[in-house]
Each structure stands twice: as structure tokens, then as C-alpha cells.
Amino acid sequence: MDQRRSEPDRNTGSSPVTLYGEFTVTGNRKVRCAVSLTEKDLVVQRLTSAPVGRNKVVLSLKDCVGCRAFREDDNADPAAYLSAYFYPLKRRWMSSGVARQRVEYCFRLAALQDPRANQDEAEKWARAVRERSGRQQYLRDGVLMSELSRPRRMMLLVNPQSGKGQALTLYNNHIQRMLNEASVQHTLVITERQNHARELVREADLSQWDALVIMSGDGLLYEVINGLLERADWEEAIRTPLGILPGGSGNALAASIHHYSGASPVSSEELLVSCGFLLCKGLVSRMDLVSIHLFSSPRLFSFLSLAWGFVADVDIESEKYRHVGAARFTVGTLVRLASLRVYKGKLAYLPAAKDYSNEEGMRNNMTLHCNNQASSLSLASALCRQSRDSSCQNTFHNSCHSNNSLKVRRTESTPSRSATKALPGPPDSLLLPLDQPLPSDWVVVQEEDFVLILAMYQSHLAEDLLAAPDATLDDGVIHLFYVRAGISRTALLRLFLAMEKGAHLATNCQHLVHTKVRALRLEPYSPKGIITVDGEVVEYGPVQAEVHRGLTRLITG
Ligand code: ADP
Ligand code: MG
């Protein structure tokens, strides 16, 4: 007979026990366990003999995605069952490092003859475990999906063609089970063609959904975000929490979310399990979006990157190696290195230095001009000393002054004629139309010969490329990188190798410049080329961008 005490009488060392019971393990009724629930942990202690050191397991409720009570079909058996699902970080079997791995604990509760009473007890436990694991989440932004009173409803959009064409298999092998364990109701939508998801979310009744989740590469999320911002009710629509599960070959946002969670790097299915876990936890955070203006195409929104030159070429040329999955970028990089070329154009930007954005008092009465390089640099240095933005200093010293003068004008930060006509989506306050000269407070990069220009707003450019190590989800900053022409193939390769660990900025490469900006404009001179936004090809030609801080919401766990 099971013995149960409703009053806590034990202490696991950290926090007091709120529930205690003695159950047998499902599948082996000879193994009896004492199970204690504290505010933070589920502690399972074997009461029957066990190998030394393995008789007590402390499971952190932070790692728990769900818990449920149930009865088996056998009416003669009065027992109820309790299953708890954990995804703790564990050492890998054959290699170093840790990754989340699934652990299920299932107990049999049969203290009483009345099946109803056993079921009630199991339900009580399941509720308590779920509530406490939900409470372990830090409530930010006022939204915690798991706190919704009704079951969560997600639309899960899967691109069956993404990556190696395995997204559906990965869903069947991992995600379906995880979402069930977390009691997340979801409707699977398999996309049939490019832009299917975009059209679908443009028309969808969003009141039906607590979240729109995509399982693909970054390209499908790009469709969803643009679909939402094309709606007449875009302001409300873009607040719908979005989620991402890596199922493609370019899984940069998934890798970024994993990175922000503080876990050590993983790839492939381990990344999927990590992102599935974060999705089940359901913590919603704000994410920046960047509006992109092209010469003749409608305005776009981007959540990840804008690239021209080496990176854009590799991304698109490597499409043909899609069958190797995320390794396609490594293969593409090596191929492109062999035919390294220079890209000519003009780059300008509005620095994200603190002075430009926050100090209203200064903004209204300072107009600064300097007419030679020496004074430009000393002015720039002075500005950088005012700012705590170290990358700004780096940039000014490296390369930033216009041909004749550096003009830093703070009389008016909002251009009088905005580049945004009557489009859905938020207005752009920092951009002038592309056929007009730049606003006077922008910095023009002196060089016109580049190997690459890359604007990033999240940390990862690919699963294994930590391009902007200090980027965060909603820092309101575009991390602008460019590599000047003249870099050797070896040095460029070294940069990309260092980028795997986010160490490229520490290589002190003289050709690499990194600066933080709020808006930028690029005018390529070469008549042909590739520009990518979030890894997707867009119209080639002049392009400009402005960051919109925290415009959308993403489930980050
Ligand atoms: P990957 O990382 O493998 O490139 P993406 O999610 O970026 O995966 O998708 C690649 C492209 O496929 C995107 O342009 C996306 O819009 C498009 N797409 C989405 N659904 C389908 C489909 N069912 N068939 C073909 N292409 C699709
Ligand atoms: Mg893609």
C-alpha cells in the first residue's frame, strides 16, 4: 500500500517540499520512489535498492515542459499515472559539450481502491508541477504563453522543401511529441509554394491564434512577417507572437534564440530540440524589425540581415548545395573565396551613438561642421568619448569621414519628407526617398571598394556563424560590418573561421569595420549583383534601411 503524507515533512536543502508521495515506477512495479515537489525541483528518490549515487535525482522545473495525469484503459486496475517531461542539459554521449535531451518520468499512483481518488491525486500533482514549472519563467513584456488560461493554440507552418527536405520528418520525430507534452494545441499547415505562408497570414483571422510558428529556414519567417505587415490591421497583427523552429539550411534566427538563452552552441537536431523546448516554455520577448527600401519594389521588413557582396553571393550560390544542409554555407564560402572579387558602391549610415537618439536638449542647439580630416577625427573622438559605444570609436578611427567634411548636425533628426508613403506598417522617420541626397547628419564611408557589406540585427548569420556577438533581440541597433577591398583570401577565410566562435572582431583585421547604426543606405555601382534580405534575393540597386525597435514579438523561452 502506498503511503502518502499531504503535509510536507522533508526538506531537499533548497526550498521546502510542497507535495510528497510514494509511488511505483511505471513499467517496473518493484521500484518504489519517494517523490517530492518543491518550488524549484521535482526530487525522485529510489526507496528500493539502487546502485550507489543513482538513488536520488533532482529535476529542475525550469527544464520541465509539461506534466499530465491519466488512466490506462484497463478498468480492473484502479491506478492512475503521472508523466512529467523534462529536457535538461546533459553531456553528449560521444563528444564534449551539453545539449538538451528528453527525459520522461512516469509514476503509478495506486494508494486507494477508488480509481477516481487516484486520478484526482494524479491530477493534483500534474497541476502543481505545471504551475511551478510555469512560475520558473521570468515574466517579461507582460506575456507568458503558458499562463494563458485556455490551451495555447498555434498555427505551425512547415515548409516541406526547406533544408534537406526533412522538415516534416523532424516535426514527426520531435516537435509533435514536445507540443503534446506541453499541452500546446497546434494546427499544422504545410506550405505548397513560395509566398503561400505570406498570403495565408495576410488573410488569416488572427484572433484564432495565440502564436504563428514556422518550421523551416529563415525564409519562411520572412514571408510571415511581411504578410503580417501588409495587412490593414498591421499594428495589431505584428504583435502576434511568432515562433521559429529550425527546419531549413539557413537557421540563423533559431541559432540566435538558442544563443540568447545562454546555452552552449549546438546544431542540427540538437538545435531543434533546444528551440522546441524554448517554444514550449512560451516566454514572449520583443524583437526589432528593419524596414528596407528598394528602388522600385515595395518596402519590405527584415528580421535578420541585409547583405551585399561576398555574403550575399555565397548565400545564393550555395542554394545548389542545399542537400548538405547547413554545411552549404561552408562549401559556398570556399568556392567563392577561389573567385574573390571587389564590389564597388557607396555606403552611408546614421550612427547609433547615444548622442543621436536620446539627448533632446543637445539635439536642438548643436550644429557641428569640420572641414578637414584631422578635425573630423578629433571631433569624432570627442563624440565617442561622450558615448559609451566603443564600436563607434573603432569606426571613426578606421574610415568614417566624407570626402570633404564630416558633418554632424543635430538640428533635426526627422527628415521633412519621409521615404514612407501611405504604406501599411510603421512610418520611417530617419530615411529620405532613395532618389534624394542623404540627410546631413549621416556618415559617408570614404572607401568605395568592398568585399562585403553585412547589416545584422540578430547574433547569428547561420547556425555556426556568430556574426554579431553582442547583438540582442531588441537592442534597436543595426550591427553594420564591412570588409574593405585589399583583404587576402587567407585573411578573409580566417575571419569566417573566427566567426564560428564570434571571435572575428578580436582578430584585429585592418580590413574589417564594425559599427552600430540606426539606418543605412547602400548604392552599388556595379550594374549587376545580388542583394539579400534575410537570405532572400531582393531587387538589385540602391537600398536603405531603418531599424524599428521591438516592433514584433518572438517566443524565446
Ligand atoms: P532554407 O533555409 O532551407 O533556405 P527557407 O525557409 O529559407 O529554407 O525556405 C527557402 C525558400 O522556400 C523561401 O524562399 C520560402 O519562401 C520558399 N518556400 C516556402 N514554402 C515552399 C514550398 N512549399 N515549396 C517551395 N518553396 C517554398
Ligand atoms: Mg533561406
Side-chain angles (χ1 to χ4, degrees), residues 61-62 64-67 127 129-140 142-154 181-185 210-211 241 277-284 555-557:
L61 294 173
K62 280 186 188 156
C64 179
V65 297
C67 187
R127 246 190 336 269
V129 171
R130 283 198 303 266
E131 278 169 15
R132 278 161 187 73
S133 65
R135 256 185 250 153
Q136 294 305 308
Q137 290 289 95
Y138 171 55
L139 193 76
R140 238 186 333 182
V143 189
L144 184 63
M145 300 279 295
S146 53
E147 296 236 319
L148 295 176
S149 52
R150 55 186 156 66
R152 294 172 276 164
R153 301 157 311 170
M154 289 182 182
E181 289 167 355
S183 307
V184 176
Q185 283 181 11
D210 296 314
F277 170 80
L278 297 173
L279 181 68
C280 289
K281 289 307 243 180
L283 182 70
V284 179
I555 303 173
T556 52

Side-chain angles (χ1 to χ4, degrees), residues 163-164 248-251 267-268 271 318 321-332 462-465:
K164 300 182 208 170
S249 47
N251 301 312
S267 60
S268 311
L271 180 62
S318 69
Y321 312 119
R322 166 176 293 281
H323 57 279
V324 301
R328 83 176 218 216
F329 299 109
T330 313
V331 180
E463 272 184 34
D464 56 358
L465 290 178

Side-chain angles (χ1 to χ4, degrees), residues 517-530:
V517 310
R518 292 175 63 206
L520 65 93
R521 185 186 281 187
L522 163 66
E523 294 168 64
Y525 295 152
S526 324
K528 276 190 191 162
I530 296 173

